[in-house]
Amino acid sequence: MNKNRILLLEDDTNLGETLLELLQENGYEVDLAIDGEEAIELSYKKSYHLYIFDINVPKIDGLELLDALREADDKTPTVFISAMVDLKTMARGFALGADDYIKKPFFPEELLLRIDAKMQRISSKIICGKISYNPSTKEVLKDGVHLALSHMLLLMFDLLILSKGKVVDKDELYTCMENPSSTALRVALTKLKQQTGIEIKNIRGVGYSIESC
């Protein structure tokens, strides 16, 4: 599984560097942006497990940034850090889909504790390349955006990803299909590879496997 990735938006240089160092020391991969435009560009280039946004930042503020990301169907969990704690601002933040809100000033260790707790919940997801899969909700994300697989392809994907590194027998994959056949199975798996970008190997005479991500 990939290292957990965080996008941190903070224009206070000292605080940003302190948080960056603390999070990296605790095993997180962090990109630091100092304004909203830089943050939104990074969000398009990479997929992240968590966003940490200050609200009052240059160019595009944290609230506008989250609004734009949610409009683009980016559902990445988001924590706001801000000195702005009026109820109207907080209400708007949560209405836009924020998961948490921490008032400045705060102890950096407090933020770390909240992030660790959130990441423990996120870690139940399976990360494979650009794909994030939540087995409990059956939600598939590609680069943080919901991937709408057909019911049949979702059943096949679930079997394969939960058995990553092992071979799934063809007969087991047939159970996902209404009219199973070798040809129909090959066509379905080709579509699954195209939509997810994940390599699915044919183990001749045995079945299929996602060997690595």
Side-chain angles (χ1 to χ4, degrees):
M1 182 176 289
N2 293 340
K3 183 185 291 187
N4 288 321
R5 295 183 299 276
I6 295 174
L7 174 57
L8 172 62
L9 171 59
E10 177 53 68
D11 66 328
D12 181 322
T13 304
N14 290 334
L15 178 59
E17 291 295 334
T18 297
L19 294 177
L20 176 67
E21 183 177 342
L22 178 66
L23 292 170
Q24 289 177 336
E25 287 176 352
N26 283 271
Y28 293 107
E29 181 181 317
V30 186
D31 287 325
L32 174 60
I34 60 172
D35 62 61
E37 285 187 0
E38 184 181 5
I40 206 164
E41 287 176 8
L42 285 167
S43 75
Y44 291 152
K45 291 177 182 177
K46 291 185 182 182
S47 60
Y48 294 92
H49 299 90
L50 182 68
Y51 294 143
I52 303 173
F53 292 163
D54 190 358
I55 292 178
N56 190 19
V57 295
K59 298 183 179 179
I60 303 174
D61 71 38
L63 292 170
E64 293 172 352
L65 174 59
L66 183 59
D67 191 18
L69 291 169
R70 294 298 189 251
E71 282 292 321
D73 205 26
D74 185 334
K75 300 178 181 177
T76 304
T78 303
V79 176
F80 279 128
I81 52 175
S82 180
M84 302 173 66
V85 291
D86 61 279
L87 290 177
K88 185 177 180 180
T89 301
M90 291 180 65
R92 186 182 174 205
F94 285 119
L96 290 172
D99 295 80
D100 205 349
Y101 203 117
I102 301 179
K103 179 185 181 299
K104 289 183 177 180
F106 57 84
F107 290 109
E109 291 77 12
E110 176 191 356
L111 179 62
L112 179 63
L113 287 172
R114 296 201 193 193
I115 291 171
D116 286 345
K118 198 167 295 294
M119 286 299 187
Q120 285 178 9
R121 293 192 293 272
I122 295 172
S123 65
S124 62
K125 296 179 182 179
I126 297 171
I127 307 298
C128 189
K130 296 182 178 181
I131 295 293
S132 171
Y133 179 56
N134 188 326
S136 61
T137 63
K138 307 300 181 188
E139 183 180 40
V140 183
L141 302 178
K142 185 174 184 179
D143 285 328
V145 178
H146 177 70
L147 186 62
L149 297 176
S150 69
H151 180 64
M152 179 185 68
L153 292 185
L154 183 58
L155 291 174
M156 290 183 177
F157 180 74
D158 184 77
L159 281 174
L160 289 163
I161 199 69
L162 292 179
S163 302
K164 186 168 71 72
K166 301 177 183 178
V167 179
V168 177
D169 190 276
K170 286 193 298 182
D171 290 337
E172 193 171 359
L173 290 167
Y174 283 156
T175 64
C176 303
M177 310 174 71
E178 290 187 9
N179 300 298
S181 70
S182 294
T183 300
L185 179 59
R186 286 197 298 271
V187 170
L189 291 175
T190 297
K191 288 182 179 179
L192 185 58
K193 286 193 286 186
Q194 290 173 342
Q195 292 186 43
T196 62
I198 294 175
E199 182 63 28
I200 302 170
K201 292 195 174 182
N202 180 2
I203 312 302
R204 190 173 298 275
V206 182
Y208 293 84
S209 174
I210 297 174
E211 294 185 351
S212 61
C213 294

